[in-house]
Amino acid sequence: MLWVAIGILLKILVVVSIALGTVAYLIYVERKVAAYAQDRVGPNRAGKELGIPFGLLQPLADGAKMVLKEDVIPGYVSRPLYMLAPVIAIVAAMIGFAVVPFGPVGPNQIMNFQIAPNINIGILYVFAIGSLAVYGIILAGWASNNKYAFLGALRSSAQLISYEIPLGMSILGMVLIAGSLDLNQIVNWQDRRVWGVVVQPIGFLLFLVSAFAETNRLPFDLPESEQELVGGYHTEYSAMKFGMFFLGEYLHVITVSYLTVLLFFGGWSLPFHLLNQNQIGFLSAVFKVMVLLFKVALMILFIMWVRWTLPRFRYDHLMDLAWKSLIPLSLVNLVATAAIVQLIYSSR
Amino acid sequence: MANPTISRPEWSTVIDSVLQKELEQHVLVTSWDKLLNMVDTVYNWGRRSSLWPLGFGLACCAIEMICTASSRFDIARFGAEVFRGSPRQADLMIVSGTVTKTMMPMIARLYDQMPEPKYVISMGACATGGGPFKEGYNVVSGIDKYLPVDVYIPGCPPTPQALLNGLIMLQKKIDGEHITNAPWYRGDVERDIPIPVLGPDLIDLRTVELTAERTALGLAEVREADLPKPSKIPAPQPEAEVVDASGNGAVGAEAAKPPSKIDLIRAKARGETLPAAGSAAPAAAAAPAAAKPAKKGKRALARPSLVWLGDEGLKELAARLDAELGAGTVSIVQAGLLVAPEKLVAVALYLRDKNPIKYDYLASLQSVHYEDCIEINYQFDSTIRPGSLIELRVRTAEAEGQGEVPSLYQVYRGADFQEREVFDMMGVRFTGHPELKRILMWEGYAYYPLRKDFLEPYYEAPAKVFPSRVDEGFGQHFRAEEVNPHGTNLKVPQGFTDWASLSSGSDPKGQPLLPGAIDVQELGTDQFIVSMGPQHPSTHGVFRLNLRVDGETIVGLKPVMGYMHRNHEKIGERNTFLMNFPFTDRLDYLTSMGNNFGYALAVEQLMGEDSRPPERAEYIRIIMAELTRIASHMWSIGFLLNDLGAFFTPALYAIEERELILDLFEWAAGSRMMCNYFRFGGVAFDLPPGWIERCRGVVNDRIDKKIDEFDRYLSQNEIVLDRCKGVGVLTPDQAINYSTAGPVLRASNVAYDIRRAAPYSIYDRFDFDVITGPNGDLYDRYYVRLLEMRESAKILKQAVRDIPDGPILPGKKSYQIKVPAGEAYSRVENPKGELGYYVVADGSGSAYRYHVRSPSFINLTALEPMCLGHTIADVVGILGSLDIVLGEVDR
Ligand code: SF4
């Protein structure tokens, strides 16, 4: 028992530190992607003194600066909430990771690449936690006592709540088909048959669009839309508190990318059964983790690429899109999937 | 032996020096100092490699700052591309441009809001010491009067490379900092600065007592008492009376028929003196008077603009007005109609609605302070029959605060801001104007600065070059601030005693605001007021919008400007004619060549035929103007997309093309942005060899393709369509009535382009289309600009093909320009719209009155009706589609 606890703690530690490190580097990657999208070079100086190329130390510099910066708490904010908001934002983003499998999971694997294995409603948990993040944003906007922050918070609460619905419904199709809420099972089903994106193309599109909205990324980054609201909900935050929002946002991106890959792109499997799922062993486990990571990285790059390419929606159009198109469409998709699944099962 | 541990904390022990050396060689950390040094290295390295600038630009220098982020220079390499809109997240304030008094409290506030450690780079001559605008009454002569500056960058503007160098200097400076003596960890150093207040002038609260004392002594008044004041000239009188002995009447009589060139040269050879008021003689005396021998001074041909209604038409019009509205309504004065103030509105209504040529477009409105009156004059044109410009004059009492004229607000909404400007600058009240507030300066400012009897704080003499700065000064060179009693450019009237009421909390600019304009009939909601700007990522400079919003719907909107009012006109009245060229560059700093063009035309109109540019110069001018148009439209399209949320990518691609054009400018004129390339009668230098080929290459091989690329990627983008179609609609009638100009007017389906409506230079030789848009919405304004770039490319191709060889100036290069007395209004189609220069010359070396009809400023009049009922996101887009440049809005 003790060993299990220690194992879990270790896993948490590893995952959290990897996640934070990754996030820091994601910001760097984002800046590089932006640079390449704009025909520039991007950060390439930090680290030169030590002979490290490509500005690879940029995230460390940013981090060092942020930590050492004066942490201004303006006099007009409501203090407890102001302090609480970034904590909620980052904690909500973090604990969502608990059930995300980072590699093959299962009773006969050499190790469970998941902090909390054996939760058979994993996906529900992710969404439940994911929607907590909105509290961070609302509180930040409210506590800041700043009009831009307030508008940003208003926008984001409406946006996040609206997009939860299509987001949740878009995955139900996949859940029905695989017959399980367990991410592991869903991946295994895809490995046996085809990738989710083939059987659920509409579900995938709905998921993708809603996921962009959920993560506040362009073209749906209305809560912080810089050109309109300066910084949106985090206008009044400085130093590491601001950094925490930043980290939280990128953690969300990671989670969403994992989910997309797990639900629609076969997780750690390769198409045409190139990778035998039943094979266990150290090498194959590592390989599977690599496959998953690769797919996730592609997904993250895609999300970034979109950000530096598209203009932003307008707020009311965004709401129209959710309520008038996405939700009806996801309902139709759900019903149709349910009917077909039922037909196939009953015909067997 | 000296104690080697003198700087160490007390608890550390003294180590034998030999031992210490040994230790230092073998052990990494031997002492507290070394540890601190290591900490310093990391601490400093973090800050130096991650300097996030505050995303805020003040003036022309900000454009170069933005270019520094573009692909050619890429400030991102230093990790400094993360421009933060919120001061709370920024480390570095780049003061990029002219610091005005109106803006200074905001800058101080921003500085105070930035968290420690914070750094300030003063970019450009203006931020460092006031630069070319230093003498202005609204310019702070250097940001370091208020903020501690870390690095100064010289230049006007500094090139992007210079800014990068400045950044590297700052990094070096950071490298030398120590955690132990960093000022932000010391409790005894007050790093927050007091925010100055806008009282009768910009008052620094730290020195308020001293200021009060000096003001009470009346030092400013004492100094001004024995300064040479600008002399006022009398207003032009009706033709029938203006005949004096030296033969002004001759010009008047000649003007009736189109004068031949030979007549003009003769007239020039004769020369004529200024008209003396009251020396009235019958008109019959005019002809003999012409034969009289010449004295010094001469008058320019009387005509309001190059292309206008003509003398015959004007006489007819005057007769018609007299017949319709009662005799004595109007009289003809120097080719303009002098209207009695009480009849002004009736005349305007008649001109707009009943006259055969419907004068529906108020092109410009300005005021002149004469000896005996303040004259407001109006230039009207007709969009139905373009090119029939007329000028109306109204006169009112000269004494300060006495003038009163009926407002044309209800007839031409375009008069709104222009009348406010006249009120602000001359103190003339417009009865019937619903909101007669100061527009460029702030409520409570003590003076009307464009009156001739107002002297700026740094005032030395009516005209530059000041005697103290040239040879005649015999080495007694002095700077104006040395004789300025307040030590800064501060001026408070002696009677001011209300010092106690000044508080940094009050904001006299933009108050009061906003009637709730429309009702939102939905849920019971509360409205609240958002002040966007003057530091805001998408106000395109230091511009502010006061919004009243209901949810996200705009129910009231007022633009607040003047944060970059750098007194262009006042300074222009003291500059010699030639000296003013570089100042026009800095109006709309994205289109300096176009600005030069307009100014050159205005003065050439006064100088008459003998300043006619030779062929080659005309072609060069056209090439430059059209290249400018492409560069400016590129910029505006890129940043419109940025405002719509496409994060800088289109903008940076647009800048890439603009850079190519700037290269051409730099090659020909010597400067990227501030070209100062035009001269009266031509251009400053001939094109260097190879220039034409390069230009041809850029136009044919590059620009065309890029325009197509923009078209392909942007014009049909779903989100762009969604955001732009049907947003911010301006109907044709509105567009005309609000005096909008340029792409904004044409997008509303009014084919009014000065290049066709009142052709100047040699535009009549080129084949191009006037682009119009069908709906007048945001999308059309975008698309009209895109298509106009194509037309410009078309013109460029023709011009580059046909350009002849030859001289580029009609005579020798001249540094002493003789400009005959008279009045001129020139109009050019600048990328932003009709740019007009109104110049009154009195025969001396500098303009008596110099006014700029700025398209950005007047286009803003239409912002309010376009935005009401839309959302905040739309306002940003609509503002972007107006394409304002603050240098021109505030001047
Ligand atoms: S005039 Fe313009 S370009 Fe020159 S220093 Fe001032 S802000 Fe910069």
Side-chain angles (χ1 to χ4, degrees), chain A residues 312-328:
Chain A
R312 177 184 306 122
F313 270 97
R314 206 172 77 198
Y315 176 63
D316 48 339
H317 294 178
L318 183 85
M319 299 308 273
D320 281 358
L321 185 70
W323 291 98
K324 295 193 183 149
S325 323
L326 295 187
I327 292 180

Side-chain angles (χ1 to χ4, degrees), chain B residues 59-61 97-98 124-126 132-133 155-157 566 586 674:
Chain B
C60 354
C61 284
T98 318
C126 280
F133 298 97
C156 178
R566 23 185 208 185
R586 286 154 178 80
M674 306 305 181

Side-chain angles (χ1 to χ4, degrees), chain B residues 48 67 160 224 285 381 386 425 543 638 746 792 839 846:
Chain B
R48 80 194 288 275
C67 286
E224 273 173 16
D381 200 359
M425 295 290 126
F543 176 66
R746 289 192 287 277
S792 291
V839 179
S846 49

Side-chain angles (χ1 to χ4, degrees), chain A residues 153-213:
Chain A
L154 276 187
R155 283 179 172 193
S156 75
S157 36
Q159 174 182 335
L160 295 188
I161 289 167
S162 310
Y163 276 85
E164 296 265 276
I165 304 169
L167 186 73
M169 287 204 283
S170 63
I171 55 158
L172 281 187
M174 213 40 228
V175 169
L176 279 176
I177 291 174
S180 169
L181 276 170
D182 189 349
L183 285 169
N184 195 21
Q185 299 290 327
I186 295 176
V187 174
N188 284 343
W189 184 89
Q190 293 181 62
D191 186 45
R192 271 180 276 125
R193 306 286 163 76
V194 282
W195 282 7
V197 63
V198 182
V199 287
Q200 277 283 306
I202 298 179
F204 167 67
L205 281 181
L206 291 171
F207 180 83
L208 194 68
V209 172
S210 320
F212 270 107

Side-chain angles (χ1 to χ4, degrees), chain A residues 31 35-47 49 57-58 60-62 64-66 68-72 74 76 82 147-148 150-151 155 218-219 221 226-231 234-239 242 246 307-317, chain B residues 43 45-50 52 69-71 74 76-79 81-86 88-91 115-117 185 528-533 536-538 551-552 641-649 652-653 656 717 719-720 722-723 727 871-874 876:
Chain A
R31 284 165 80 173
Y36 293 139
Q38 295 168 349
D39 198 9
R40 299 186 281 120
V41 208
N44 70 353
R45 293 292 158 111
E49 306 85 345
L57 292 191
Q58 189 64 45
L60 296 187
D62 288 341
K65 181 204 75 180
M66 284 238 192
L68 292 167
K69 202 116 178 109
E70 177 189 6
D71 191 6
V72 184
Y76 42 80
Y82 179 84
K147 285 168 183 168
Y148 290 125
F150 178 62
L151 278 176
R155 283 179 172 193
L218 258 167
D221 68 335
E226 182 163 332
Q227 281 82 5
E228 296 144 33
L229 301 183
V230 189
H234 58 59
T235 304
E236 289 288 352
Y237 282 88
S238 55
F242 163 64
F246 228 56
R307 163 157 190 204
W308 297 98
T309 311
L310 287 184
R312 177 184 306 122
F313 270 97
R314 206 172 77 198
Y315 176 63
D316 48 339
H317 294 178
Chain B
Y43 183 56
W45 174 79
R47 270 173 302 129
R48 80 194 288 275
S49 317
S50 171
W52 292 3
S70 74
S71 49
D74 197 15
R77 291 177 293 143
F78 302 88
E81 90 277 32
V82 194
F83 283 85
R84 298 306 310 176
S86 163
R88 302 260 183 239
Q89 295 148 15
D91 315 302
E116 297 283 1
Y185 290 134
F528 73 105
I529 287 168
V530 182
S531 160
M532 271 172 76
H536 187 277
S538 48
E552 291 238 353
L641 262 293
N642 193 36
D643 291 343
L644 295 180
F647 225 79
F648 275 105
T649 308
L652 292 194
Y653 277 98
E656 231 174 280
N717 180 302
I719 302 180
V720 171
D722 191 49
R723 291 287 309 269
V727 172
T871 65
I872 294 182
D874 287 334
V876 169

